[in-house]
Amino acid sequence: MENSLLLMIALGGSALAAYAVVRAADLATRRADARRPGTPLWALLRRCRTPLFVVLFTALFGWAVHATGWTPARDHAGLVDRIRVLCLIGSGAWLTVRFASALVESSYARYAGRTHDRARVRRVRTQVTLITRVVSVGVGVIACAVALVTFPSFRALGTSLLASAGIIGIVAGVAAQSTLGNLFAGFQIAFGDMVRIGDTVVVDGEWGLVEEITLTFLTVRTWDERRVTLPVSYFTSRPFENWSRGGAEMTGTVFLHCDHATPVPLLRDHLRGFLDDCPGWDRRGWDLSVTDTSPTGITVRALVTAKDPDELWTVRCAVREELVRWLTEEHPAALPKVVTAPPPNPPGAPVVPRPGGGPSGG
């Protein structure tokens, strides 16, 4: 009964003390955030409440158990201390990752608020995302290494493995060649400014927005809401189209197949009048020309511009629909025709018999 009472006192006292400290820190960050609403750091630091509580509770509980003289803890002091150290290492790594992420994201938010160049903002966002992931992985690896060192058997194993570190390094390098290649490709993409989060790219005939970039893979969200996942090494070893690099403005074309009787000047004037009322056209440029001809018709190309790929797609569809509608209603003779019968004989021409018999004229 006495041991249970001591355990409850240690648990309750540690939890209350840790909660009081975390609550005080939370109130302090709230007040700082209210005084400086333009600084996102204080709001981001509030994410550290849970790992901070775990760190404080673990440290205070270990101290309380020793102070109260709880019998099971005295009898198994080594095991209790090891569990407490492991909990401190894990929660400390968790707190470190949350704190570092808050600092990095706060710096990015302030940079994004001051910069009007969206391309640079996307580039910094890509770098910040990869830096955060690297820090998280690094802290996790260090925490696992420190946790393993606390076990004497693993410490001896580590000493023996150091003697064969050269062989192990060669084997690991060969086995993880693809993974390491993707890892270095991720750094090359982040800091080489090849592709950024939010860029519009075309890969394997699919176009979409870069939604996520990690150390090993990249996700592209296509126009029909599909996700195409590619290794980051794809973008360092193969050609791809980046429609957002150097500016999002684009030029697009609309092709129409028409008859030789098409009134091209009138069609050009109608296109100009339609673009004046088209909200997606950015007024940078337009054109309408006959780009090809054949024995059965001509090819008319309409050229339009827009501020980004999405607007360009909308403008191209609108122009195509409007030109077809106008030709159908105003100049139906300009629509392409498919000749399925021979031409009639002119008056006075001799009648040429058909292969099946009977005259061809009349």
Side-chain angles (χ1 to χ4, degrees), residues 81-106:
D81 288 341
R82 182 164 298 159
I83 293 175
R84 181 172 59 87
V85 170
L86 291 177
C87 291
L88 282 175
I89 293 173
S91 57
W94 186 12
L95 179 61
T96 302
V97 170
R98 286 287 181 88
F99 185 76
S101 299
L103 290 178
V104 173
E105 291 187 20
S106 174

Side-chain angles (χ1 to χ4, degrees), residues 33 36-46 102 105-110:
D33 188 30
R36 298 179 179 178
T39 304
L41 175 63
W42 307 110
L44 294 172
L45 285 177
R46 297 186 61 212
E105 291 187 20
S106 174
S107 301
Y108 164 75
R110 285 186 295 177

Side-chain angles (χ1 to χ4, degrees), residues 67-86:
T68 55
W70 188 40
T71 303
R74 249 192 347 261
D75 297 339
H76 305 85
L79 178 61
V80 172
D81 288 341
R82 182 164 298 159
I83 293 175
R84 181 172 59 87
V85 170
L86 291 177

Side-chain angles (χ1 to χ4, degrees), residues 250-295:
M250 292 194 67
T251 300
T253 56
V254 175
F255 288 96
L256 296 178
H257 298 281
C258 303
D259 190 78
H260 290 94
T262 302
V264 176
L266 296 179
L267 185 62
R268 184 179 296 112
D269 294 339
H270 182 72
L271 173 62
R272 174 61 187 185
F274 174 75
L275 290 177
D276 288 337
D277 298 329
C278 183
W281 183 51
D282 63 357
R283 302 180 181 276
R284 288 190 301 114
W286 74 280
D287 186 30
L288 189 140
S289 305
V290 177
T291 59
D292 196 9
T293 183
S294 68

Side-chain angles (χ1 to χ4, degrees), residues 3-204:
N3 288 331
S4 300
L5 181 61
L6 291 176
L7 178 61
M8 294 300 295
I9 292 174
L11 283 173
S14 302
L16 287 175
Y19 178 77
V21 175
V22 172
R23 182 63 177 172
D26 185 49
L27 291 176
T29 53
R30 284 181 182 227
R31 292 177 180 176
D33 188 30
R35 288 196 302 267
R36 298 179 179 178
T39 304
L41 175 63
W42 307 110
L44 294 172
L45 285 177
R46 297 186 61 212
R47 301 178 184 176
C48 303
R49 291 173 297 177
T50 303
L52 179 61
F53 174 81
V54 176
V55 170
L56 294 176
F57 174 76
T58 304
L60 292 174
F61 181 68
W63 175 82
V65 165
H66 286 290
T68 55
W70 188 40
T71 303
R74 249 192 347 261
D75 297 339
H76 305 85
L79 178 61
V80 172
D81 288 341
R82 182 164 298 159
I83 293 175
R84 181 172 59 87
V85 170
L86 291 177
C87 291
L88 282 175
I89 293 173
S91 57
W94 186 12
L95 179 61
T96 302
V97 170
R98 286 287 181 88
F99 185 76
S101 299
L103 290 178
V104 173
E105 291 187 20
S106 174
S107 301
Y108 164 75
R110 285 186 295 177
Y111 177 82
R114 296 193 307 263
T115 305
H116 300 287
D117 188 353
R118 307 315 301 172
R120 296 185 62 184
V121 171
R122 291 199 305 270
R123 181 183 63 185
V124 173
R125 180 60 181 172
T126 303
Q127 296 173 353
V128 164
T129 301
L130 291 179
I131 289 174
T132 303
R133 293 181 184 274
V134 170
V135 170
S136 301
V137 172
V139 171
V141 170
I142 294 174
C144 291
V146 173
L148 290 177
V149 169
T150 60
F151 295 91
S153 57
F154 281 99
R155 192 182 306 132
L157 179 63
T159 303
S160 62
L161 287 177
L162 287 176
S164 57
I167 299 177
I168 294 176
I170 295 175
V171 174
V174 174
Q177 183 177 4
S178 177
T179 302
L180 292 176
N182 283 328
L183 181 63
F184 287 112
F187 283 107
Q188 186 176 353
I189 286 177
F191 297 98
D193 198 24
M194 299 173 58
V195 62
R196 299 155 296 194
I197 294 176
D199 282 1
T200 302
V201 297
V202 179
V203 290
D204 287 340

Side-chain angles (χ1 to χ4, degrees), residues 1 28 82 147 186 245 352 354 361:
M1 182 65 181
R82 182 164 298 159
R245 187 174 180 85
V352 180
R354 294 182 180 179

